[in-house]
């Protein structure tokens, strides 16, 4: 399934699966407990939060600075390339939209 707004549904699922694998390999001698779960969340939280918040932001009216950037892309290839790169790096996209740091629990 692909997220219809930012296209990161499959990417996020693949990323999460890879990271759970890496977490389990790293902790193969440990029981799956709260500490291992916390280690997994610490590995994935920046990406997962960024994708979620960016997607949620895309469902709202666009902030003025984002609307301005999108309008600028028609005449400025560098700006267009930077916006296209958001789809490669959701953390960068989230920062462009919201600007504040990711600090989930």
């Amino acid at each position: 399934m692909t997220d219809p707004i930012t296209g990161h549904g499959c990417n996020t699922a693949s990323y999460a699966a890879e990271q759970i694998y890496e977490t389990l390999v790293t902790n193969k001698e440990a029981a799956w407990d709260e500490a291992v779960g916390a280690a997994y969340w610490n590995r994935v939280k920046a990406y997962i939060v960024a994708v979620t918040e960016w997607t949620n932001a895309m469902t709202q009216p666009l902030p003025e600075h984002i609307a301005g950037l999108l309008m600028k892309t028609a005449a400025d290839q560098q700006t267009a390339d930077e916006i296209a790169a958001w789809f490669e790096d959701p953390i960068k996209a989230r920062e462009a939209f919201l600007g504040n740091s990711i600090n989930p629990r």
Side-chain angles (χ1 to χ4, degrees):
M1 172 145 227
T2 301
D3 166 11
I5 304 295
T6 61
H8 276 277
C10 290
N11 292 346
T12 301
S14 297
Y15 175 79
E18 176 185 36
Q19 295 306 310
I20 195 75
Y21 169 80
E22 293 295 331
T23 301
L24 291 172
V25 167
T26 300
N27 295 282
K28 65 185 171 195
E29 302 300 324
W32 180 259
D33 60 10
E34 188 174 341
V36 175
Y40 170 69
W41 177 240
N42 289 333
R43 287 179 87 116
V44 301
K45 73 180 170 186
Y47 183 89
I48 300 294
V49 169
V51 169
T52 302
E53 289 184 351
W54 176 38
T55 299
N56 290 343
M58 291 285 285
T59 66
Q60 305 297 314
L62 294 176
E64 285 186 38
H65 71 286
I66 298 296
L69 281 173
L70 292 174
M71 296 301 291
K72 187 177 175 184
T73 63
D76 182 0
Q77 186 62 50
Q78 181 177 350
T79 301
D81 292 343
E82 288 172 13
I83 289 179
W86 290 351
F87 293 89
E88 296 174 19
D89 186 353
I91 293 172
K92 187 178 202 177
R94 185 214 171 272
E95 288 300 314
F97 267 77
L98 304 173
N100 53 347
S101 65
I102 298 172
N103 192 15
R105 288 182 255 175

